[in-house]
């Protein structure tokens, strides 16, 4: 598995889960989510192996990763409906494979490379922050409420792939992803 010299990987996937919130104060709520977080991505490394003409081959990695995540977080209301969110998360890997393709070559799965299992992490950590707006589906003064909340968040999950320090140079070789979530809770 070669060191990736890249700063960008892109793909759109889904994030599904259940959420719960408890009002500690009128403006401060304690919340939790249990979710499936798909962090699959396509990444290209345009600086790996040198061609005979001095330019570089382009490597392509398709990471297929999925996690069950538990995310405790807080909501800070700035008025009756608009709020800021922030919290931490722990993810347990359900799927961690990758496909590797060298420019003009054939695709090799991570298991065929023989090192995929030696460098993956089964548990990852994340942090996130966002904004949301509550639309009450039940009486806002009721003891129990149903609330529809459109939201926008950014999440940073670290150490999705571990580092084999014998073959790789530093902890920078670990895979971490930043995602933008937009949806409805």
């Amino acid at each position: 598995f070669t060191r990736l010299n890249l700063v960008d990987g892109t793909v759109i996937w889904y994030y599904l889960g259940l959420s719960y919130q408890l009002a500690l104060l009128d403006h401060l709520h304690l919340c939790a989510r249990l979710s499936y977080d798909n962090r699959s991505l396509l990444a290209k490394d345009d600086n790996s192996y040198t061609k005979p003409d001095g330019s570089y081959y382009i490597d392509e990695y398709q990471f297929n990763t999925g996690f069950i995540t538990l995310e405790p977080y807080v909501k800070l209301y700035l008025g009756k409906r608009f709020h800021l969110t922030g919290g931490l998360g722990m993810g347990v890997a359900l799927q961690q494979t990758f496909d590797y393709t060298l420019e003009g070559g054939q695709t090799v799965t991570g298991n065929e490379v023989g090192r995929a299992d030696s460098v993956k992490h089964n548990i990852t950590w994340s942090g996130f922050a966002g904004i949301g707006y509550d639309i009450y589906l039940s009486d806002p003064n009721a003891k129990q409420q149903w609330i529809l909340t459109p939201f926008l968040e950014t999440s940073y999950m670290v150490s999705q792939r571990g580092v084999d320090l014998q073959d790789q140079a530093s902890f920078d070789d670990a895979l971490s992803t930043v995602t933008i979530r937009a949806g409805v809770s």
Side-chain angles (χ1 to χ4, degrees), residues 98-129:
F98 69 90
D99 296 328
Y100 167 71
T101 306
L102 182 61
E103 180 181 323
Q106 76 178 61
T107 299
V108 180
T109 66
N111 291 335
E112 291 173 16
V113 173
R115 298 205 33 232
D117 290 335
S118 68
V119 295
K120 71 180 182 180
H121 280 174
N122 290 324
I123 295 180
T124 63
W125 304 96
S126 63
F128 66 94

Side-chain angles (χ1 to χ4, degrees), residues 9-152:
T10 57
V11 81
I12 295 176
W13 285 107
Y14 51 90
Y15 172 81
L16 304 168
L18 301 171
S19 63
Y20 176 80
Q21 74 180 38
L22 175 66
L24 298 176
L25 302 169
D26 286 343
H27 63 282
L28 184 64
H29 291 203
L30 182 62
C31 310
R33 280 194 294 231
L34 181 63
S35 57
Y36 175 75
D37 192 353
N38 189 315
R39 295 284 177 126
S40 296
L41 68 104
L42 175 64
K44 293 184 179 183
D45 179 4
D46 61 0
N47 193 19
S48 61
Y49 299 109
T50 308
K51 293 180 180 178
D53 66 3
S55 64
Y56 289 97
Y57 285 104
I58 296 175
D59 297 2
E60 186 175 279
Y61 296 86
Q62 173 67 50
F63 293 96
N64 305 304
T65 58
F67 301 88
I68 292 291
T69 58
L70 177 61
E71 297 174 321
Y73 62 102
V74 295
K75 278 187 179 180
L76 177 62
Y77 282 85
L78 306 173
K80 293 275 186 194
R81 296 173 183 256
F82 182 75
H83 56 81
L84 304 174
T85 58
L88 300 173
M90 179 186 82
V92 177
L94 296 178
Q95 173 188 9
Q96 283 183 299
T97 62
F98 69 90
D99 296 328
Y100 167 71
T101 306
L102 182 61
E103 180 181 323
Q106 76 178 61
T107 299
V108 180
T109 66
N111 291 335
E112 291 173 16
V113 173
R115 298 205 33 232
D117 290 335
S118 68
V119 295
K120 71 180 182 180
H121 280 174
N122 290 324
I123 295 180
T124 63
W125 304 96
S126 63
F128 66 94
I131 57 173
Y133 184 82
D134 289 349
I135 302 167
Y136 290 93
L137 301 178
S138 58
D139 181 2
N141 298 317
K143 186 174 180 176
Q144 292 184 342
Q145 302 168 353
W146 286 94
I147 303 169
L148 185 68
T149 305
F151 66 89
L152 180 64

Side-chain angles (χ1 to χ4, degrees), residues 2-15:
T2 62
R3 178 187 162 103
L4 293 174
N5 298 308
L6 55 85
V7 294
D8 186 34
T10 57
V11 81
I12 295 176
W13 285 107
Y14 51 90
Y15 172 81

